[in-house]
């Protein structure tokens, strides 16, 4: 069971790790951090304790709902976790501790109840102000112990509530409350030993509960409605880990745009696929599960992915979940279905002209044309107008061709030949035989040239070996 804990100023990570060893401890959560953790760490449980706001966008409710929808148990306590747990518990997020219960019950309402100023990660998120929930708990304890009366208790709470959260420092609070020197000394003496860190208490309860879990609870299923803004968060702002560093997905695309010489082709192909899918929706073109399975098999064949483990590894390296990979295969299957719809509508012209135009646009036309012209000339000079009738089947010829060239085939011969512009299997067989004859001829000529070169170069005589002294004496 993998547990991710978002923790900051509520308690030191070292103390938290002593309660819950083996968990992945992450900094206070900002927007996109929960969905990023799901991609990078693939947790079974997420514990949200601390989160950022103000200087960064806060963790969004929608990403918590997404985690719950995907079956990840999500707990909240103490600080940002308590706020989000109160808001998301109807969907299965589990509130833990007194602060979270206060928000659920409505006794606590303002976000500022748990807010505080704190240092950065280099200083261990050290707290620099007093959270109001901690002050409330401490003042309630002081009232119960007789260290303060109700009037003094209410004055201190009211003064703290009237200050901006970053200014809630004890000296400032006591001054704003108008405490006398005697009242200040009496209250400070109690707080030296009787102050209550309610946020830490709740965090310790949550961590202890998680440490006792054998299996995480499964959130009840519900309909998750992703919005355009969630899609933006997921597709652009989600971070992934590569080379020991994390990076937002949008920066990977931007880096490709700025550094890859073939990005124009990549971008055009990506947008073209989107256009095809939109066109397919308009035309009502769909694919079934069998077509998606076939597309998956062809995809794996082209990339040498043998077996489920190899495919799972490819998905991990490419930051795709099983559902996202299935969606990609569906997209490719729809694209193929649209091509199969188009090809017969060109009748005998087939795909020749668009393929040649694509070669021209990619700067490959001239070299490809020269190679094809050379093959045609060799056939004319050495084999006449017609190539010999092949004894091999088209499947045998195709397998030999793939083994001896850079050509890659990802489907049965009849399917592959139809999609790649051949009139029929006989047409493919003739062209494969022509390619084989030229390839065999070049191989034979290379062997003969090497033999002729070896005969033309005189062999240097081997140097005479000195006679050992023992043999000379003998």
């Amino acid at each position: 069971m993998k547990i991710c804990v978002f923790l900051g100023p509520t308690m030191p990570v070292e103390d938290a790790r002593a309660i819950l060893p083996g968990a992945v401890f992450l900094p206070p959560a900002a927007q996109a951090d929960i969905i990023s953790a799901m991609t990078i760490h693939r947790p079974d449980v997420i514990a949200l304790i601390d989160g950022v706001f103000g200087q960064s966008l806060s963790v969004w409710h929608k990403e918590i709902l997404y985690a719950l929808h995907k079956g990840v148990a999500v707990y909240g306590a103490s600080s940002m976790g308590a706020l989000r747990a109160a808001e998301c518990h109807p969907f299965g997020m589990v509130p833990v501790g007194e602060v979270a219960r206060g928000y659920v019950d409505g006794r606590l309402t303002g976000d500022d109840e748990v807010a505080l100023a704190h240092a950065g990660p280099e200083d261990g998120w050290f707290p620099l102000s007093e959270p109001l929930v901690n002050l409330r708990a401490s003042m309630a304890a002081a009232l119960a112990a007789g260290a303060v009366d109700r009037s003094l208790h209410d004055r201190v709470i009211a003064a703290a509530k009237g200050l901006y959260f970053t200014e809630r420092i004890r000296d400032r609070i006591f001054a704003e409350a108008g405490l006398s020197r005697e009242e200040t000394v009496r209250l400070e003496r109690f707080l030296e030993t009787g102050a209550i860190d309610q946020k830490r208490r709740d965090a310790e309860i949550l961590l202890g509960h998680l440490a006792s879990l054998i299996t995480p609870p499964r959130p009840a299923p519900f309909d998750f409605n992703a919005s355009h803004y969630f899609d933006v968060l997921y597709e652009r702002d989600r971070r992934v880990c590569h080379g020991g560093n994390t990076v937002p997905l949008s920066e990977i695309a931007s880096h490709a745009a700025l550094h890859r010489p073939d990005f124009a082709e990549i971008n055009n192909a990506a947008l073209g696929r989107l256009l095809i899918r939109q066109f397919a929706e308009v035309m009502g073109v769909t694919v079934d599960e069998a077509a998606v399975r076939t597309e998956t098999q062809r995809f794996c064949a082209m990339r040498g992915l043998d077996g489920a483990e190899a495919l799972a590894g490819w998905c991990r390296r490419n930051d795709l979940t099983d559902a996202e990979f299935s969606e990609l295969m569906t997209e490719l299957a729809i694209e193929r279905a649209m091509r199969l719809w188009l090809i017969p509508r060109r009748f005998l012209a087939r795909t020749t002209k668009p393929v040649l135009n694509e070669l021209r646009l990619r700067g490959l036309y001239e070299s490809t044309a020269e190679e094809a012209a050379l093959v045609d000339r060799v056939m004319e000079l050495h084999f006449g107008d017609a190539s010999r009738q092949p004894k091999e089947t088209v499947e045998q010829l195709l397998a030999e061709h793939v083994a001896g060239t850079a050509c890659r085939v990802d489907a049965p011969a009849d399917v592959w030949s139809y999609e790649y512009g051949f009139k029929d299997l006989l047409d493919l067989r003739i062209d494969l035989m022509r390619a084989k004859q030229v390839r065999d001829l070049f191989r034979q000529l290379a062997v003969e040239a090497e033999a002729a070169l070896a005969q033309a170069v005189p062999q240097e005589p081997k140097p005479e070996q000195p006679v050992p002294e023992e043999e000379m004496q003998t």
Side-chain angles (χ1 to χ4, degrees):
M1 183 170 59
K2 179 172 282 189
I3 302 174
C4 287
V5 182
F6 290 94
L7 182 65
T10 293
M11 65 184 298
V13 170
E14 295 77 13
D15 296 350
R17 188 170 283 116
I19 301 172
L20 187 61
V24 176
F25 287 94
L26 302 170
Q31 192 170 102
D33 281 350
I34 284 183
I35 57 173
S36 298
M38 290 183 64
T39 298
I40 295 170
H41 302 290
R42 301 176 183 263
D44 303 293
V45 177
I46 291 175
L48 177 60
I49 295 175
D50 289 311
V52 300
F53 66 97
Q55 73 273 30
S56 301
L57 294 174
S58 300
V59 60
W60 193 17
H61 310 77
K62 202 79 170 181
E63 51 186 310
I64 295 173
L65 299 185
Y66 175 78
L68 293 167
H69 175 68
K70 291 298 183 180
V72 178
V74 185
Y75 293 79
S78 304
S79 191
M80 182 64 74
L83 285 168
R84 292 294 181 260
E87 295 154 345
C88 298
H89 82 278
F91 296 91
M93 187 173 180
V94 182
V96 176
E98 182 62 27
V99 178
R101 282 194 295 272
Y103 280 116
V104 172
D105 297 342
R107 290 179 285 112
L108 298 175
T109 56
D111 293 1
D112 70 309
E113 292 280 347
V114 293
L116 78 161
H118 57 78
E122 65 280 0
D123 295 310
W125 312 101
F126 185 79
L128 300 175
S129 65
E130 183 94 4
L132 192 51
V133 290
N134 284 359
L135 185 64
R136 287 186 187 276
S138 298
M139 291 305 297
L143 181 63
V148 299
D149 57 20
R150 172 59 67 178
S151 174
L152 180 55
H153 168 277
D154 293 348
R155 283 158 51 202
V156 170
I157 298 299
K161 187 68 175 175
L163 292 171
Y164 188 57
F165 75 91
T166 60
E167 299 173 343
R168 290 173 184 161
I169 302 167
R170 283 185 185 176
D171 291 346
R172 178 71 184 275
I173 294 171
F174 294 167
E176 290 292 326
L179 269 61
S180 66
R181 179 172 178 78
E182 178 186 353
E183 290 172 330
T184 301
V185 170
R186 185 168 74 249
L187 182 54
E188 286 182 340
R189 185 179 298 120
F190 171 82
L191 293 176
E192 285 178 1
T193 57
I196 295 176
D197 189 342
Q198 189 63 54
K199 291 176 69 172
R200 174 164 180 149
R201 282 187 178 184
D202 289 0
E204 290 175 344
I205 292 171
L206 172 55
L207 296 173
H209 173 72
L210 296 179
S212 68
L213 281 180
I214 297 175
T215 56
R218 294 281 296 179
F222 62 91
D223 291 332
F224 176 77
N225 298 315
S227 64
H228 171 73
Y229 296 104
F230 177 79
D231 290 341
V232 171
L233 190 76
Y234 191 85
E235 295 175 9
R236 290 185 54 84
D237 299 332
R238 178 166 53 104
R239 301 183 74 88
V240 294
C241 184
H242 289 272
N245 302 303
T246 66
V247 61
L249 291 172
S250 60
E251 291 190 14
I252 300 176
S254 298
H255 183 86
L258 292 175
H259 296 281
R260 289 204 61 89
D262 57 349
F263 185 75
E265 291 85 355
I266 293 172
N267 195 51
N268 290 340
L271 293 177
R273 187 172 295 115
L274 285 180
L275 285 172
I276 290 173
R277 187 162 188 176
Q278 292 292 318
F279 190 34
E281 290 181 7
V282 172
M283 296 179 58
V285 175
T286 59
V287 293
D288 56 18
E289 292 183 5
V292 176
R293 284 196 300 271
T294 299
E295 197 65 44
T296 302
Q297 293 167 357
R298 297 183 69 166
F299 177 88
C300 292
M302 289 295 284
R303 289 156 183 79
L305 301 174
D306 300 325
E309 187 174 343
L311 177 57
W314 185 91
C315 287
R316 283 194 300 271
R317 294 190 300 275
N318 286 272
D319 302 313
L320 288 175
T321 64
D322 292 343
E324 290 164 348
F325 176 76
S326 179
E327 182 183 359
L328 176 59
M329 293 300 102
T330 301
E331 188 174 292
L332 293 180
I334 290 173
E335 185 180 19
R336 191 179 300 279
M338 291 295 291
R339 290 198 298 270
L340 294 176
W341 169 86
L342 176 65
I343 290 173
R345 281 158 178 78
R346 293 184 55 79
F347 197 47
L348 296 178
R350 310 291 287 174
T351 59
T352 299
K353 182 177 179 179
V355 165
L356 295 184
N357 280 338
E358 190 64 25
L359 289 171
R360 292 177 180 115
L361 292 173
R362 292 175 180 261
L364 300 172
Y365 179 83
E366 294 179 46
S367 60
T368 306
E370 288 178 6
E371 292 174 6
L374 176 61
V375 169
D376 200 64
R377 180 61 173 162
V378 170
M379 287 297 301
E380 180 184 350
L381 290 175
H382 292 271
F383 302 103
D385 293 334
S387 62
R388 71 173 176 83
Q389 289 298 317
K391 298 178 181 179
E392 300 90 338
T393 66
V394 67
E395 288 78 14
Q396 290 172 331
L397 289 169
L398 194 56
E400 183 179 346
H401 185 80
V402 168
T405 69
C407 177
R408 293 294 174 262
V409 177
D410 61 354
D414 56 340
V415 174
W416 187 85
S417 64
Y418 179 79
E419 292 183 8
Y420 284 79
F422 295 91
K423 184 174 65 176
D424 50 33
L425 278 179
L426 178 60
D427 190 27
L428 172 63
R429 192 180 187 193
I430 291 172
D431 281 356
L432 284 172
M433 193 63 236
R434 285 164 52 89
K436 173 180 170 58
Q437 288 176 285
V438 172
R439 194 166 58 249
D440 291 345
L441 175 64
F442 283 175
R443 189 181 297 118
Q444 178 185 347
L445 293 175
V447 171
E448 292 175 356
E450 185 177 353
L453 180 63
Q455 291 179 357
V457 177
Q459 298 292 325
E460 296 184 2
K462 295 182 179 179
E464 295 183 4
Q465 298 294 327
V467 180
E469 293 184 2
E470 293 81 357
E471 294 185 9
M472 292 176 65
Q473 292 174 357
T474 303

